[in-house]
Amino acid sequence: MIFDKERFSELLNKAKGDRSINNFGRISQVDPGYISRLLRCQNDTPPSAAIISKLGSKAHNNVSDIDLMIAAGYIDESSESNQNDTLHEEKSLSREKTEYVIRELVKKYNIDLTDPRDVETLEDLIKIVHRNNQK
């Protein structure tokens, strides 16, 4: 999967809404300079899942963290559309579905559960999945 920085910029601008970059940065606790660089397509690498989680949690205009994760290249859009159909049918993730998501994320991103940084990344990804499911 590839970081689509143009699409990410479009979604981020939509997520920012009519707020200033400084205000959006303050509210989402993300450096406004970093947001500005993302909006101007100056970054060749996608933001981390933790940053996307922060931006998505304060997004306007129905932009979700999942939308941002797809544009960032973390989630394959074709598999996401199939998963969205299933997720919208359920009110909450079952234990089995949560365990499945964790296993797939660990496998896909080669997450080392003994490394605290990887555990934090996994926790951020799980929060994104749960938050999207609750909408």
Side-chain angles (χ1 to χ4, degrees), residues 83-95:
Q83 289 174 0
N84 268 345
D85 294 341
T86 303
L87 289 176
H88 288 296
E89 291 173 8
E90 302 172 1
K91 283 291 181 194
S92 63
L93 288 176
S94 67
R95 179 181 174 94

Side-chain angles (χ1 to χ4, degrees), residues 15-32:
K16 180 180 77 66
D18 60 359
R19 298 170 288 186
S20 70
I21 293 172
N22 285 333
N23 187 23
F24 186 44
R26 183 179 48 76
I27 291 168
S28 63
Q29 299 179 339
V30 175
D31 176 52

Side-chain angles (χ1 to χ4, degrees), residues 51-103:
I51 296 292
I52 291 173
S53 179
K54 288 179 178 185
L55 295 169
S57 70
K58 303 300 180 186
H60 284 182
N61 300 312
N62 295 317
V63 175
S64 73
D65 341 52
I66 299 296
D67 297 327
L68 294 170
M69 292 290 282
I70 290 169
Y74 290 116
I75 298 174
D76 180 23
E77 189 168 20
S78 61
S79 68
E80 177 56 27
S81 63
N82 293 336
Q83 289 174 0
N84 268 345
D85 294 341
T86 303
L87 289 176
H88 288 296
E89 291 173 8
E90 302 172 1
K91 283 291 181 194
S92 63
L93 288 176
S94 67
R95 179 181 174 94
E96 294 80 19
K97 182 76 173 176
T98 301
E99 290 172 357
Y100 170 77
V101 168
I102 292 169
R103 279 193 308 275

Side-chain angles (χ1 to χ4, degrees), residues 5 20 40 57 70 77 108-109 115:
K5 57 185 173 182
S20 70
R40 292 180 285 134
S57 70
I70 290 169
E77 189 168 20
K108 184 173 186 175
Y109 295 107
D115 183 338

Side-chain angles (χ1 to χ4, degrees), residues 34 46-56 65 68-69 72 74 109 120-128 131:
Y34 186 63
S48 68
I51 296 292
I52 291 173
S53 179
K54 288 179 178 185
L55 295 169
D65 341 52
L68 294 170
M69 292 290 282
Y74 290 116
Y109 295 107
E120 288 175 15
T121 299
L122 177 62
E123 289 170 352
D124 290 333
L125 291 169
I126 292 169
K127 286 177 190 172
I128 290 169
R131 189 167 42 244

